[in-house]
Amino acid sequence: MMRARVFFAARGAALAAVALSSATWVAAVEAQTPDQGTPELLQATISQYCVTCHSDRLRVADLSLEGLDLALVGDHAELWEPVVAKLRTRAMPPVGRTRPDNATYDQLAGWLEHQIDRVALNRPNPGRTEAVHRLNRAEYANAVRDLLALDVDVNTLLPADDFDEFGFDNMADVLTVSSVLMGRYLATARKIGRLALGETPLGPATETYKVPILLLQDDRMGEDVPFGSRGGIGIRHYFPVDGEYDLEIRLHRNYVDYVRGMGSRHELQVRLDGALVRTFTFGGREPDVMQAPASYGGNQFGDPEWEEYMLFADANMRVRFQAKAGPRVVAVSFVRKFTEPEGVLQPRQSVFAVAVNEMRDGNAAVEHVAIGGPYSTRGPGDTPSRRAIFSCEPVRDGGADEACARTILGSLARRAYRRPVDTADIDTLMGFYRAGRDDGSFDAGIQLALERLLISPDFLFRVVRDPTDAAPGTVYTLTDLEIASRLSFFLWSSGPDDELLAIAELGRLDDPAVLEQQTRRLLADPRATELVRNFFGQWLYLRNLKAVVPDAIAFPEFDENLREAFQQETELFVDSLIREDRSVLDLLGSGYTFVNERLAAHYGIPNVYGSHFRRVSLPPALAEQRGGIFGHGSVLTVTSYPNRTSPVLRGKWILTNILGTPPPPPPADVPDLPARGEDGQVATVRDRLQRHRESPACSVCHAPMDPLGLALENYDAIGRWRLTGEGGRPIDASGQLPDGTAFEGPTGLRSLLLERREQFVGTLTEKLLAYSLGRGPEYYDRPTVRAITRAAAADEYRWSSIIVGIVQSAPFRMRRSKS
């Protein structure tokens, strides 16, 4: 099968407009059927259906279609691309007006696209990205990790990045710089330098790791705690030097500070990299004295001996231990005891009840763990970051030390600056090395030079410069080094590795086969999970999941375990699609998903046990409910209100992220949806929305939006499947679009979207292209998006076809000079 392969050449001193050489694009354009559309049909359709509003006199939406030369459609893509979008989505004429038949819509849209694409083939317009593109927080952290083998939590060190109107935080135009931000970069560089070199801290410091109160600790809490454990927390802590450290544990309490679970005996273990450090034993030995009545603690007190027993069980949960420098796993967890509750299983408590209950017979839980130190030191140790930095060892000779320092800094600078370095680059860093060396040791000199490197514009910014002899407004090919950086930040959110950088230095990325091979290599690398976290996390709104707080009274069963499971399911699912190079259409419907016991119980999937995630095949009935992202609790929760579902939010999400036709913002004076029906009785969301749509001004936007969201009404606000809604009334998940297309439930919605697969794949491709470039989509990108989409169709819309097509496209490899 033919892969999308676009190869551009631009050589010569003039660097004038560059011709596009792409067998795939040519084939896609020539194979593109204009659906028998002609200028005459277009003119007749405009005259009959359009000029009533879009005339020179009215100019509705600031658009006039009167008196246009339809023989030059391809020369005016800025005007006609929005018309194509309206035709493809049947958005115009407005609902209620006389409309052409579907054949006319398709003929005109196909003919317009064909005309525009033929012109774009001969005169590619890659657009102009910003000359200076600051790294966002995720990119900065990843670049530091790959350069120094050091994971740094930059969220506590740098302010959050802005995001653009399309929802991405890697867009150059919103990644601004201020003096305050540069101050934060300076402070962050100092901290990273000290950690990387292993400088002895001025004094002990304490870092506290909190466990959310709604995170149930009844099962194993991940891969960082041992098998046979439950609860607690696994911590990946960075110890700055070899030395002595302190760990302190605080247990969960109720609102009057009674430690929970004191009716049973518990063993709480502390481990360092799997080795047992200390076991604490508590509970199960209540003094035989008067106790406070259950749930009345704080209002009625028990005997002082009993009060002391309940209040101070963790008073001495502290241990001092020796740790080697570097990243270590500290696990604090309970030894698990397998029991089954007797009697009638009680519903989950929430709000006040859970705050008051001391849960005497329940499981004890960890509230936080504090790690402090060092209290004594034995040197910087042998850490991954020191091994990454010291490519040579200094000898006690001034000249040899200088030579070693130049080697170290040259190697670091090449990878940090993402290009070959010259003598001036190294001399600048050597000046800082000497300043640090004069005041201390060889390590101190390297550390100061490293801090200077981390605040260098060459590290913090990706800079693209127009060729000095490029005429204004002309198209030129990016250098191999610029393409290498663009590729690695697209797929890894980090700089090029040594192999990609070496190939770029040799000028081999202008070979399409080499560029495709490198793209596939980067996709296969574990670092490509950053594409899932950053692109999909923003496109699918997964990043919003942490901020969602479902109503505790309406949904008492929602907890942090479920929140984490929602996130992990979607990330694992998307990652599997990319790594297995499946079709992007599998996002909409697939026969498998990833669950653990908690999530499986929420979805009604039987025979899944344990906290670890595993891939499960879904039987047909469950595949209709849970196959694809529409059945994922993550998406369903972030598109709901805290106390109920929202067909409007879900419909808008589908229009914006799946179909690429976002509705306009609502007017400022739109009233809230009524809480009840017209007669004051309980009414479904569908009935209340129907009243809202009775206004013609509202129906324009809601008519294509609400039916899409109503198709997902069988899922409640936290993604559970249901058959009844408000007042116990049956769920009606049917919908009908303005063009008369009817569908029902998530199965019907998937079928509808799969019938419009080219529109969905085009939307995904456009968003991926914008993310890869670091700029918003423009009308002149549409021919590229269509070419990639049509070429990928021959390969069943596989992920590799889409991504390789983007990397080999004109917007990715080329740029327009400043006009």
Side-chain angles (χ1 to χ4, degrees), residues 636-691:
L636 295 164
T637 301
V638 298
T639 54
S640 296
Y641 289 122
N643 61 343
R644 67 167 176 85
T645 60
S646 174
V648 174
L649 291 181
R650 289 176 176 176
K652 179 185 176 184
W653 184 87
I654 293 171
L655 285 177
T656 302
N657 295 299
I658 304 299
L659 295 174
T661 56
D669 57 351
V670 174
D672 291 334
L673 195 66
R676 289 183 172 268
E678 194 168 0
D679 55 358
Q681 299 299 312
V682 174
T684 64
V685 172
R686 171 184 286 274
D687 294 335
R688 286 179 279 159
L689 278 173
Q690 182 61 42
R691 291 176 56 200

Side-chain angles (χ1 to χ4, degrees), residues 7 96 128 377 444 491 503 511 580 604 632 692 771 794:
F7 174 39
R128 179 174 174 81
T377 64
L491 300 180
I503 289 174
D511 182 342
E580 295 169 20
H632 283 205
H692 189 69
Y771 175 85

Side-chain angles (χ1 to χ4, degrees), residues 20-37:
L20 174 64
S21 172
S22 168
T24 299
W25 194 346
V26 171
V29 172
E30 291 183 348
Q32 187 177 336
T33 303
D35 296 329
Q36 309 305 316

Side-chain angles (χ1 to χ4, degrees), residues 430-653:
M430 287 298 295
F432 284 83
Y433 160 78
R434 295 185 186 104
R437 184 73 172 86
D438 290 344
D439 295 334
S441 62
F442 181 85
D443 284 15
I446 294 296
Q447 179 178 317
L448 189 60
L450 176 61
E451 293 174 15
R452 168 62 178 82
L453 179 147
L454 292 175
I455 61 167
S456 168
D458 292 284
F459 176 69
L460 294 177
F461 301 93
R462 293 156 55 194
V463 180
V464 180
R465 297 179 176 85
D466 290 342
T468 55
D469 54 353
T474 58
V475 174
Y476 64 91
T477 301
L478 298 176
T479 68
D480 284 62
L481 291 167
E482 291 164 346
I483 292 173
S485 284
R486 182 169 282 187
L487 175 61
S488 64
F489 278 101
F490 172 29
L491 300 180
W492 288 352
S493 295
S494 184
D497 63 358
D498 286 334
E499 180 178 334
L500 181 57
L501 198 55
I503 289 174
E505 289 171 354
L506 294 173
R508 295 179 56 203
L509 289 180
D510 61 359
D511 182 342
V514 173
L515 183 57
E516 179 174 348
Q517 183 270 328
Q518 286 298 306
T519 301
R520 293 179 182 277
R521 182 181 69 83
L522 267 62
L523 269 177
D525 191 279
R527 282 171 284 189
T529 55
E530 293 299 321
L531 184 65
V532 176
R533 293 193 188 99
N534 296 321
F535 172 74
F536 289 94
Q538 295 176 91
W539 175 47
L540 300 178
Y541 298 177
L542 298 182
R543 285 191 180 180
N544 299 356
L545 193 58
K546 290 182 179 179
V548 173
V549 184
D551 186 281
I553 295 176
F555 304 104
E557 58 282 331
F558 184 87
D559 50 45
E560 293 300 318
N561 309 69
L562 193 59
R563 187 196 305 273
E564 291 181 1
F566 282 166
Q567 181 100 17
Q568 196 161 355
E569 175 197 21
T570 305
E571 288 182 350
L572 288 171
F573 176 67
V574 173
D575 186 65
S576 74
L577 295 181
I578 295 175
R579 294 202 178 280
E580 295 169 20
D581 200 15
R582 300 171 71 96
S583 171
V584 302
L585 300 179
D586 286 352
L587 272 174
L588 304 180
S590 177
Y592 71 94
T593 190
F594 292 83
V595 294
N596 62 0
E597 183 176 355
R598 177 71 182 89
L599 187 58
H602 188 70
Y603 286 171
I605 300 174
N607 304 320
V608 176
Y609 304 102
S611 60
H612 64 285
F613 273 77
R614 79 293 312 263
R615 179 171 174 160
V616 295
S617 297
L618 299 172
L622 278 172
E624 291 183 3
Q625 295 179 16
R626 299 299 173 183
I629 56 174
F630 292 140
H632 283 205
S634 57
V635 171
L636 295 164
T637 301
V638 298
T639 54
S640 296
Y641 289 122
N643 61 343
R644 67 167 176 85
T645 60
S646 174
V648 174
L649 291 181
R650 289 176 176 176
K652 179 185 176 184
W653 184 87

Side-chain angles (χ1 to χ4, degrees), residues 97-131:
R97 298 285 184 89
T98 304
R99 289 173 160 237
D101 57 31
N102 284 333
T104 302
Y105 273 114
D106 292 335
Q107 288 172 15
L108 292 180
W111 183 78
L112 287 171
E113 289 172 349
H114 185 69
Q115 299 303 309
I116 294 170
D117 292 352
R118 289 189 70 85
V119 171
L121 177 62
N122 296 315
R123 300 200 302 270
N125 182 359
R128 179 174 174 81
T129 54
E130 296 286 338

Side-chain angles (χ1 to χ4, degrees), residues 758-770:
E758 192 164 305
Q759 186 177 349
F760 163 59
V761 177
T763 300
L764 171 61
T765 301
E766 182 177 67
K767 291 184 177 294
L768 265 175
L769 178 64

